[in-house]
Amino acid sequence: MHIHEYQAKTLFSQNNIKIPKSILISNTKEVSNACLELGGSTWVVKAQVHAGGRGKGGGVILCRCVKEVENTCEKLLGSQLITPQTDVNGLPINQLLIEVGQNIKQELYLGLLVDRQTQKITVLASTEGGMDIEKVASETPNKIIKFGIDPLNILNKQDCNSIAKQLNLANALAKQFNQTLLGLYNIFITKDVSLIEINPLVITAKNTLLALDSKIDFDDNALYRHEDIMQLRDISQEDKKENEARQYQLNYISLNGTIGCMVNGAGLAMATMDLIEHHGGSPANFLDVGGGTTADRVAKAFELIQTEINIKGLLVNIFGGIVRCDLIAEGILQAIEKVGLILPIVVRLEGTNAAQGLALLSKSKYNIYTEKNLTQAAIKIVELSV
Ligand code: GDP
Ligand code: MN
């Protein structure tokens, strides 16, 4: 789960990480008071959306007078922000963070993530922070410092010092850096975070270290034990379809291809997508309908898949282990009855009562292609989805 910059910054300041003074607004009428309360002579208006690259997308605007802040807020509030990290529709801007402008001497990068290769929580740091950190990472990876934390130990002051040294930070700054990194690490550990990032972490003209931006991704599997974090969810920033799917206990992810997939089991879903690709097609979605699928869920899955923008065909691939294939076939027929069939469809059933299930489908009044073999099913749907 993602949260907004302003929410992450609240967590930052609760953990001794210094942030600029800021006020969150959702109405232009609040602007002049906010600027007055904040003080200063420049302000940065920042769109609160669940995506990075806001600077490049026009969602971070430096303003030099209150009128300019007002005009900027007027323009941004209620619009969609498109950044290099969103899709073509962008994300709705419902809130803006107005921040006191900072005099920036240097932009650093600091983050923590779980490195699966080394199986360690890993600190990433760089003197080359800012909007082009991705470019730095891919073109000059030696400029990214990596520090793995021993899982049987905790991050300690010596570790912080050694990272600060690699960043060439003078003593006064190193102290602030240690405080920042320990704060990040504390959030990471106590809140079951999978990625936490400050980019940029700036050194101001007055030699203070400030977290100008903040990004936190939480591990969904651990959310159940963080009621406070769950409260921060903003579904206006999430994919409507994926949310709807979640309510039906379907694991659904929209993709860009043309072939809809309805599969039980995440592994089988991945294999199905691979086979579609292998035979020249491209999947429109990932969907795991789960083990004990019901007709209701199958119907919802149909509905979700058929409304994918580029959809041209549908492949159903069910392995009847616990669930019986004849019941699945009935579920599919009920779903078609309910939501209609506007696409070519290939159904592959294997496992318990597969033959009965396939017979039910081929006997039906609908034009359903049935297959017992997955490769053949993939080839068929690619052929039909042109
Ligand atoms: P992102 O593009 O979504 O990562 O948004 P950021 O919050 O990182 O803002 C993008 C860039 O705007 C930063 O890298 C800074 O260079 C710049 N920026 C943000 N806040 C300030 C500020 O207070 N003063 C100045 N001069 N620049 C800022
Ligand atoms: Mn940033």
Side-chain angles (χ1 to χ4, degrees), residues 62-74:
L62 180 68
C63 302
R64 291 185 169 77
C65 66
V66 176
K67 190 75 208 151
E68 206 182 335
V69 180
E70 277 176 339
N71 291 343
T72 304
C73 292
E74 185 74 48

Side-chain angles (χ1 to χ4, degrees), residues 34-49:
C35 292
L36 197 70
E37 205 179 316
L38 287 170
S41 54
T42 62
W43 297 273
V44 180
V45 176
K46 309 186 79 179
Q48 298 302 290
V49 296

Side-chain angles (χ1 to χ4, degrees), residues 5 9 20 42-47 49 51-57 59-62 64 81 83 85 99-104 107 129-132 197-200 202 210 212-214:
E5 174 193 7
K9 279 183 168 164
T42 62
W43 297 273
V44 180
V45 176
K46 309 186 79 179
V49 296
R54 294 168 306 163
K56 288 185 175 157
V60 178
I61 310 281
L62 180 68
R64 291 185 169 77
L81 183 71
T83 86
Q85 294 183 20
E99 220 162 56
V100 179
Q102 300 299 325
N103 197 345
I104 302 171
E107 299 194 335
M131 294 201 279
D132 289 314
E197 204 176 67
I198 310 179
N199 185 35
V202 301
L210 277 184
L212 234 55
D213 191 12
S214 55

